[in-house]
Amino acid sequence: ASLLRGDGFSSGGHVFGDNYRTPGYPILLAGFRLLPGQTAAAAGTMQHLLGAAFAVAVLLVAWRFFGRVTGVVSGVLLAIAPLQLFVEHAILPNLAFGVVAGILVALVAEAAARDRAPVGLLIGAGLVAAVATYIKPNGLILVGLVPAVFLLARLGWRPGLRATGI
């Protein structure tokens, strides 16, 4: 409500307000607040829909890189995992962070699968890493993903450093 009123992250009654939070998930919740009904119910519903879409995305990405059987098994396991259903239902940034981190992994894997990683794809991966960090600060660790993937893809350290720099 504070964000939608234009008051930022201030919250009455708190010594420090809510300024210790990263802005990514509160901004997402502010968008959910615009939906009909209570914010928690709208957020839960939207997160369940996001979780279903994420299971399909995992299926497609795993199929692309590991084959049809692995893709189908991965997507089905994610769709029926009890912990995943709980994370979707909880009003916490974990699902949003997981989805954004999954997008980042897919972008970096696609870049590493090419002969020469497209600059646009790497810039997109950098923007997605920034969004992950705005959702949860431990998203910064995802930057280390880039050189690791490029080295594991046996492309060498120079392409890995180039990709990380971009």
Side-chain angles (χ1 to χ4, degrees):
S2 179
L3 283 171
L4 293 175
R5 281 194 314 268
D7 296 333
F9 291 100
S10 64
S11 178
H14 294 272
V15 175
F16 299 109
D18 288 336
N19 292 328
Y20 58 89
R21 298 182 193 276
T22 53
Y25 193 66
I27 290 170
L28 186 64
L29 286 179
F32 292 157
R33 190 173 180 90
L34 297 173
L35 298 174
Q38 296 180 342
T39 304
T45 301
M46 294 304 292
Q47 289 187 158
H48 281 299
L49 292 172
L50 180 62
F54 187 47
V56 172
V58 165
L59 179 145
L60 294 173
V61 170
W63 190 325
R64 156 84 170 94
F65 291 105
F66 303 107
R68 180 179 51 199
V69 173
T70 303
V72 171
V73 169
S74 299
V76 168
L77 286 176
L78 183 62
I80 65 171
L83 185 57
Q84 178 69 13
L85 294 173
F86 171 76
V87 169
E88 291 172 13
H89 196 69
I91 308 301
L92 296 169
N94 298 3
L95 176 69
F97 179 76
V99 169
V100 173
I103 292 168
L104 178 62
V105 167
L107 289 174
V108 171
E110 184 61 37
R114 308 265 178 103
D115 289 336
R116 181 160 168 84
V119 173
L121 198 59
L122 294 172
I123 289 173
L127 292 173
V128 170
V131 169
T133 303
Y134 276 112
I135 294 171
K136 290 185 87 146
N138 54 356
L140 287 171
I141 194 72
L142 295 172
V143 173
L145 167 79
V146 178
V149 168
F150 276 75
L151 288 172
L152 289 171
R154 298 186 180 156
L155 297 175
W157 62 270
R158 283 189 179 169
L161 288 178
R162 174 186 171 271
T164 305
I166 292 172

